[in-house]
Amino acid sequence: MTRVTARALLLAQLLAAACAPAAIASSHREAPFITRHPKTDATDFYMFRSYEPGRADYVTLIANYVPLQDAYGGPNFFQLDPDALYEIHIDNNGDAREDLTFQFRFANTNKDAQFTVGGKKVSIPLVVNGGAVADVNAAGANVRETYTVSVVRGDRRSGTRSPVTNASGGSATFDKPLDNIGNKTIPNYAAYAAKHIYDVNIPGCGKTARMFVGQRKDPFAVNLGETFDLINIKAPAVEFAANAERAARDDLDDKNVTTIALEVAASCLTAAGGSDPVIGGWTTASLRQGRLLNPTPSATASASKEGGAWTQVSRLGMPLVNEVVIGLKDKDRFNHSKPSGDAQFADYVTNPTLPALIEVLYGSAGAKAPTNFPRNDLVAAFLTGVKGLNQPATVTPSEMLRLNTSIAPVAMGAQKRLGVIDGDNAGFPNGRRPGDDVVDIALRVVMGKLCTLNLGCAPSDAPAGAIRFTDGAYLDDSAFTAAFPYLKTPLAGSPQR
């Protein structure tokens, strides 16, 4: 790697950081308004053919929320919002509108455990009452967090709605595990969390699905701190070294996140008849339009009253879009928008600012931005899917994650972290697996990597298209597990690491 391209790499990271709060953190705190509502902040969305042995006929959907969780974040930890609506949407006919939506609602019950102190019963201040927690809704838990799930066919507001039920017993209410408070409270967290993986029946689906909602280790990897500190990292070597992609710390390595995971038969997600194997997916979170604060909350009167229509406040499909593609003035607008309205954001994709800024500062020394306008390579990656890979038979240009369910999964250990651009068509941007290093992929694609593959443009259109851009925080499938829900056990709040 030349000194010029090394400087271009650093500039790419700086400009990405300048585009939005917490940029390149996939979707952690990516827009001004959502920073005020972390419980509804979607951080990452994954959609991939299940690669657990024996599950290849299924697609796993993972929607993560509540960014930057410190494991020691008590005493209340990180419950999801009972006044919010969390959704995973599937478009299976390419019209940029949901055909299938999974809606999650949460409820938190304070059991009001009390100790007798000096002859008086007094409510305790903690989410556990002194006993170890090992089972679902354990006696030692002072708070019970439950949820319900509905599947909506058609428009998410007016379509046909049916409850998802437990395949064992038929209940429509499920328990979410407590967060990983610490080893004294929950001695074996992995075993405890595993008891919250449910086999479920989804009306209209012929095969039993699996579901898990709970805290996990944050699966994303990125060098955040030094990027934001005016790129306070060591510059890559003049000649590209094999370890350059491992040269920086993953600043999310000590963070947890809250996961909503569903494993659904691929035949349930594709259009009736299976004529088109390509599906699109995205997640949202919504709040009620109105909130009235209660100046005197009590045990029987909540701190606020929510009302009015649902209003979408978070949206996530492809990673990094709202961070490094959408302009700062439109970030809140994007979070409130639907894929069917994405024409309003087209200029951000067809005429992106990031490579143009790199050329302004370093073009005379050889760091030229791609010259093909409109950027049809980025249109394919972000708005339509790549023809012959994951583009639907008919498509309305719109931002979402797209997966060709006819492409076989690749087993853990054989996956390539750079996905399609490294010859692994089961990886990003054909869906997204936990081990796909989307930061490195996105940095290379925005500077024209797809042109070098003749996807939407020619190699001559991208003078810097062969540069191996990296943030130095390495990610591959070794950071995950080989079975549902794929994300690792969350970090414990105690003992200290």
Side-chain angles (χ1 to χ4, degrees), residues 75 140 309 346 386:
V386 178

Side-chain angles (χ1 to χ4, degrees), residues 116-127:
T116 300
V117 182
K120 291 185 177 181
K121 286 189 174 294
V122 181
S123 299
I124 68 171
L126 304 177
V127 298

Side-chain angles (χ1 to χ4, degrees), residues 9-10 12-13 16 23-25 220-227 231 233-234 236 240 243-251 320 417 437-441 443-444 468-475:
L9 165 61
L10 297 180
Q13 295 172 339
I24 286 201
F220 197 63
V222 64
N223 176 14
L224 282 176
E226 291 181 331
T227 297
I231 314 302
I233 62 176
K234 293 180 181 179
F240 186 87
N243 65 354
E245 292 160 328
R246 303 174 183 261
R249 183 181 69 192
D250 169 19
D251 284 324
L320 304 169
R417 71 181 192 91
D437 195 339
V438 295
V439 173
D440 283 7
I441 297 169
L443 285 172
R444 299 176 197 197
R468 294 167 65 178
F469 291 99
T470 181
D471 72 331
Y474 190 83
L475 177 69

Side-chain angles (χ1 to χ4, degrees), residues 244-259:
E245 292 160 328
R246 303 174 183 261
R249 183 181 69 192
D250 169 19
D251 284 324
L252 300 183
D253 185 55
D254 62 349
K255 303 298 181 185
N256 292 326
V257 73
T258 300
T259 290

Side-chain angles (χ1 to χ4, degrees), residues 216-358:
R216 296 280 90 187
K217 164 75 181 65
D218 193 325
F220 197 63
V222 64
N223 176 14
L224 282 176
E226 291 181 331
T227 297
F228 296 152
D229 185 25
L230 299 178
I231 314 302
N232 187 21
I233 62 176
K234 293 180 181 179
V238 173
E239 295 298 328
F240 186 87
N243 65 354
E245 292 160 328
R246 303 174 183 261
R249 183 181 69 192
D250 169 19
D251 284 324
L252 300 183
D253 185 55
D254 62 349
K255 303 298 181 185
N256 292 326
V257 73
T258 300
T259 290
I260 295 174
L262 269 173
E263 187 185 52
V264 185
S267 59
C268 179
L269 299 177
T270 54
S275 58
D276 191 344
V278 176
I279 59 174
W282 69 100
T283 71
T284 61
S286 301
L287 296 170
R288 295 293 189 183
Q289 277 187 331
R291 170 174 292 175
L292 182 64
L293 298 180
N294 184 354
T296 57
S298 66
T300 58
S302 63
S304 67
K305 180 67 174 178
E306 321 292 320
W310 288 114
T311 301
Q312 183 180 303
V313 296
S314 177
R315 171 186 168 187
L316 179 60
M318 293 280 287
L320 304 169
V321 169
N322 209 0
E323 290 70 28
V324 301
V325 177
I326 304 298
L328 183 59
K329 72 182 180 69
D330 283 329
K331 291 185 182 299
D332 285 335
R333 180 192 294 270
F334 181 83
N335 265 353
H336 286 69
S337 69
K338 299 178 180 180
S340 58
D342 279 351
Q344 64 185 309
F345 305 116
D347 287 349
Y348 289 122
V349 178
T350 60
N351 300 74
T353 57
L354 179 56
L357 289 170
I358 292 175

Side-chain angles (χ1 to χ4, degrees), residues 31 109-110 139 143 210 235 261 296 301 371 450 456 463 488 494:
T109 302
N110 179 357
V143 171
R210 288 193 291 187
T296 57
T371 57
L450 296 186
K488 285 190 171 182
S494 166

